[in-house]
Amino acid sequence: MRPADLAREHGISTQAVRNYERDGCLPPAERTRSGYRIYTEVHAAALRAYLALIPGYGHAAAGQIMNAVHANGIGDALALIDRGHSQLARDRDTLDAVRSAVEHLMGEPGAATAAAADRAPRTVGALARRLGVTPATLRNWEDAGIVTPARDPGTGYRLFHAGDIRDAELAHLLRRGGYPLDHIATVVQQIRTAGGTDTLAGALDDWRQKLTARGLAMLDAAAHLSRYLDVREAAGR
């Protein structure tokens, strides 16, 4: 096969095929006397496997997995795959925790009254007392990007407005669930992008669909990688 033959199947450029070989995502190709690359079904199967890995594991991990295979480190390749599945499981757990936390916040008795009261900004001390944490905890959350309080122009004191209070309450719930600050910061940012807890349902559904798509992509990648390993073994690679 020529580079163009492999490229045509996937709608990519011949240069991309050469780059994938250079980067170790494909095994080295043999050369003709005149220096042209000669690809085989082994290379075609490798390219299918690599491109199938990307949607499930990302470009970097897909390349690492293929490089591990080509270094005869199948154990290393499987460890990378396991790491991807573990991350997906953690993401699912986080999604469930966020959904539960948001439902808890929105379903608390007197939530409407509390929401109205929260329109008035709170100081760090007042919010700390409300949550039952120390002011130092809130400052740590600020350093992590979980809350972004404004500053009183006269005194310079922190002022937590409604969105900050919501984010702090969500962080408090997730911290009780054992989630690290950097993970919580990512979740809070997604909620800010969604526009708040009352408009988060669609974002959570979209998040779940993306996780499902990633899981299905991992299944597809496993089939392609298994096929590549069989073809590689049959060819004596």
Side-chain angles (χ1 to χ4, degrees), residues 76-124:
D76 293 338
L78 292 175
L80 290 165
I81 290 170
D82 291 343
R83 196 176 302 161
H85 283 277
S86 295
Q87 182 62 59
L88 179 62
R90 288 196 299 272
D91 288 347
R92 289 189 189 281
D93 289 343
T94 300
L95 173 61
D96 291 339
V98 171
R99 190 182 295 277
S100 296
V102 170
E103 290 174 354
H104 174 79
L105 290 177
M106 298 305 293
E108 285 181 332
T113 301
D118 283 344
R119 293 194 183 97
R122 294 174 182 260
T123 64
V124 65

Side-chain angles (χ1 to χ4, degrees), residues 20-230:
Y20 295 153
E21 180 193 349
R22 178 201 65 199
D23 295 339
C25 302
L26 307 182
E30 295 183 4
R31 301 274 187 152
T32 66
R33 288 180 180 273
S34 54
Y36 290 107
R37 290 174 173 83
I38 301 174
Y39 291 121
T40 67
E41 179 55 32
V42 173
H43 298 90
L47 182 57
R48 294 183 195 113
Y50 170 64
L51 294 178
L53 285 164
I54 292 172
Y57 300 90
H59 282 86
Q64 291 168 0
I65 291 168
M66 296 302 291
N67 273 270
V69 169
H70 297 145
N72 293 318
I74 188 63
D76 293 338
L78 292 175
L80 290 165
I81 290 170
D82 291 343
R83 196 176 302 161
H85 283 277
S86 295
Q87 182 62 59
L88 179 62
R90 288 196 299 272
D91 288 347
R92 289 189 189 281
D93 289 343
T94 300
L95 173 61
D96 291 339
V98 171
R99 190 182 295 277
S100 296
V102 170
E103 290 174 354
H104 174 79
L105 290 177
M106 298 305 293
E108 285 181 332
T113 301
D118 283 344
R119 293 194 183 97
R122 294 174 182 260
T123 64
V124 65
L127 182 55
R129 286 191 295 273
R130 171 183 173 136
L131 297 178
V133 300
T134 66
T137 295
L138 289 174
R139 287 191 284 269
N140 287 338
W141 292 356
E142 181 182 1
D143 291 341
I146 294 171
V147 291
T148 56
R151 296 279 182 163
D152 184 285
T155 64
Y157 292 155
R158 293 172 176 82
L159 292 178
F160 294 83
H161 293 274
D164 300 302
I165 295 169
R166 176 206 65 211
D167 295 343
E169 289 180 333
L170 179 58
H172 189 40
L173 287 168
L174 292 176
R175 282 299 280 166
R176 291 208 306 266
Y179 288 91
L181 292 182
D182 58 344
H183 212 150
I184 295 173
T186 299
V187 170
V188 168
Q189 182 57 46
Q190 290 171 331
I191 290 176
R192 287 184 192 136
T193 302
T197 53
D198 54 344
T199 59
L200 189 59
L204 291 177
D205 288 341
D206 181 62
W207 189 3
R208 184 178 296 280
Q209 289 172 12
K210 288 179 180 177
L211 293 180
T212 298
R214 206 162 99 214
L216 292 173
M218 287 178 172
L219 287 177
D220 183 59
H224 281 288
L225 185 59
S226 178
R227 169 63 178 162
Y228 171 51
L229 294 175
D230 289 342

